């Protein structure tokens, strides 16, 4: 009964993916004659080439490759910076105790529960004042600050399991805040750092609210470009190329989770046990 129920749920969740994959390999004429659900008569691999370099998005017939590059330029630094800052912050509030650390931790964690829509106007004012409106650097700043709440929470819950005797021994040997972090805490951190990197990379790559609101034109990441692709102002929908573009856009986070998924689960489990 349990396995049968799991199979039903798996089929339910995988059906949209299967439909998109099949449509990415069908021609627009074939989809138009039949429906969006069907097996390809001939595998149209050229859909992926057209989506990558030729398809028109917002009156620019350059494909999605430039928008993919924008996403990488945004995601990689935002992921690394937010992970590093979250690790240092989690270390500070869990192992390097100071007066008011729990209050500061509670304030930081509030960022996890605030709806994204509440932050649009404050972020618009901040980006205007720092001169980063409508830029990839502005999106990097947003995702770094937004991600610190999650990375601090993950790292703090992991670091509380590190024995305090290690910290005391480091202080006796004269190690300060950053030297203790670099020599003792960081070498013990790979499991939780892998968790935060996968979490941040996937979340930032798939985020579209800030991408749509705070970017435009050639400077948009791929999620905003996909929305522009579906709203191209025509009555004809090229489901073949659109499906190929969606699959290309989804490939990086899928690969990250495919190759790092077991480390993700292992890191979460170790943090929970500790």
């Amino acid at each position: 009964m349990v396995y049968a129920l799991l199979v039903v749920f798996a089929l339910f969740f995988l059906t949209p993916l299967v439909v998109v994959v099949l449509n990415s390999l069908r021609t627009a004429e074939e989809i138009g004659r039949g429906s969006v659900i069907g097996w390809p008569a001939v595998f149209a691999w050229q859909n992926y080439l057209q989506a990558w370099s030729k398809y028109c998005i917002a009156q620019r017939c350059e494909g999605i490759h430039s928008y993919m590059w924008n996403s990488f330029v945004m995601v990689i630094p935002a992921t690394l910076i937010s992970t590093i800052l979250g690790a240092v912050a989690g270390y500070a509030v869990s192992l390097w105790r100071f007066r008011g650390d729990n209050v500061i931790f509670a304030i930081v964690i509030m960022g996890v529960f605030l709806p994204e829509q509440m932050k649009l106007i404050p972020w618009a004012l901040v980006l205007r004042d720092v001169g980063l409106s409508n830029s990839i650097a502005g999106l990097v700043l947003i995702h770094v600050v937004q991600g610190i709440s999650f990375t601090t929470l993950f790292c703090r819950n992991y670091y509380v399991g590190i024995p305090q005797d290690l910290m005391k021994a480091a202080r006796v040997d004269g190690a300060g805040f950053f030297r203790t972090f670099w020599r003792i805490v960081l070498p013990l951190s790979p499991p939780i750092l892998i968790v935060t990197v996968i979490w941040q990379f996937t979340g930032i790559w798939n985020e579209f609210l800030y991408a749509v609101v705070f970017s435009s034109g050639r400077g948009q990441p791929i999620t905003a470009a996909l929305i522009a692709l579906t709203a191209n102002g025509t009555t004809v929908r090229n489901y073949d190329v659109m499906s190929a573009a969606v699959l290309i856009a989804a490939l990086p986070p899928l690969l990250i989770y495919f190759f790092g998924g077991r480390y993700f689960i292992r890191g979460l489990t170790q943090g929970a046990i500790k």
Side-chain angles (χ1 to χ4, degrees):
M1 291 288 293
V2 172
Y3 284 112
L5 188 62
L6 291 175
V7 169
V8 171
F9 282 138
L11 293 175
F12 178 78
F13 284 110
L14 289 176
T15 297
L17 176 61
V18 173
V19 172
V20 172
V21 171
L22 293 178
N23 282 335
S24 70
L25 297 173
R26 303 168 70 193
T27 62
E29 294 77 9
E30 181 183 350
I31 297 175
R33 289 195 303 266
S35 69
V36 294
I37 301 177
W39 188 264
V42 178
F43 291 111
W45 298 104
Q46 67 273 12
N47 291 337
Y48 289 91
L49 178 61
Q50 185 176 354
W52 180 256
S53 60
K54 298 179 180 179
Y55 195 66
C56 297
I57 301 175
Q59 299 180 347
R60 293 186 179 89
C61 300
E62 302 172 352
I64 65 171
H65 69 278
S66 61
Y67 302 101
M68 291 284 288
W69 172 251
N70 291 339
S71 288
F72 280 114
V73 172
M74 174 188 68
V75 170
I76 293 175
T79 299
L80 295 179
I81 296 172
S82 61
T83 297
I84 293 171
L85 294 178
V88 175
Y91 156 67
V93 298
S94 61
L95 299 177
W96 200 273
R97 306 304 297 271
F98 55 91
R99 181 176 298 178
D101 56 349
N102 288 328
V103 176
I104 293 178
F105 178 65
I107 294 174
V108 172
I109 296 307
M110 286 179 61
V112 176
F113 304 102
L114 292 176
E116 304 301 327
Q117 293 81 357
M118 290 180 58
K119 309 170 190 176
L120 290 178
I121 294 179
W123 271 121
L125 299 176
V126 169
L127 295 181
R128 181 199 64 186
D129 293 341
V130 299
L132 294 177
S133 298
N134 194 21
S135 67
I136 294 296
L139 294 176
V140 171
L141 175 63
I142 291 175
H143 291 303
V144 167
V145 176
Q146 299 280 109
I148 289 177
S149 297
F150 289 99
T151 56
T152 301
L153 175 63
F154 291 155
C155 292
R156 184 262 182 191
N157 291 342
Y158 183 83
Y159 290 155
V160 292
I162 297 178
Q164 284 291 333
D165 292 340
L166 290 176
M167 308 301 298
K168 294 178 181 178
R171 294 176 183 176
V172 169
D173 291 339
F177 180 87
F178 286 105
R179 187 176 182 184
T180 302
F181 175 76
W182 183 259
R183 291 295 186 89
I184 295 178
V185 177
L186 196 59
L188 300 174
S189 303
I192 197 61
L193 293 183
I194 292 174
V195 169
T196 56
V197 165
I198 295 176
W199 179 276
Q200 284 296 96
F201 187 97
T202 304
I204 296 172
W205 184 278
N206 292 331
E207 197 279 328
F208 70 92
L209 178 61
Y210 295 118
V212 171
V213 174
F214 296 120
S215 66
S216 62
R218 296 176 181 270
Q220 289 184 317
I222 186 62
T223 49
L226 290 179
I227 293 177
L229 183 148
T230 59
N232 56 12
T234 64
T235 58
V236 178
R237 298 298 185 188
N238 295 323
Y239 292 112
D240 52 345
V241 181
M242 291 167 58
S243 298
V246 168
L247 289 177
I248 295 174
L251 193 59
L254 287 177
L255 291 177
I256 288 288
Y257 192 80
F258 180 79
F259 290 106
R262 58 176 179 175
Y263 302 105
F264 183 83
I265 302 299
R266 186 183 305 170
L268 287 179
T269 304
Q270 289 185 8
I273 292 174
K274 291 184 177 181

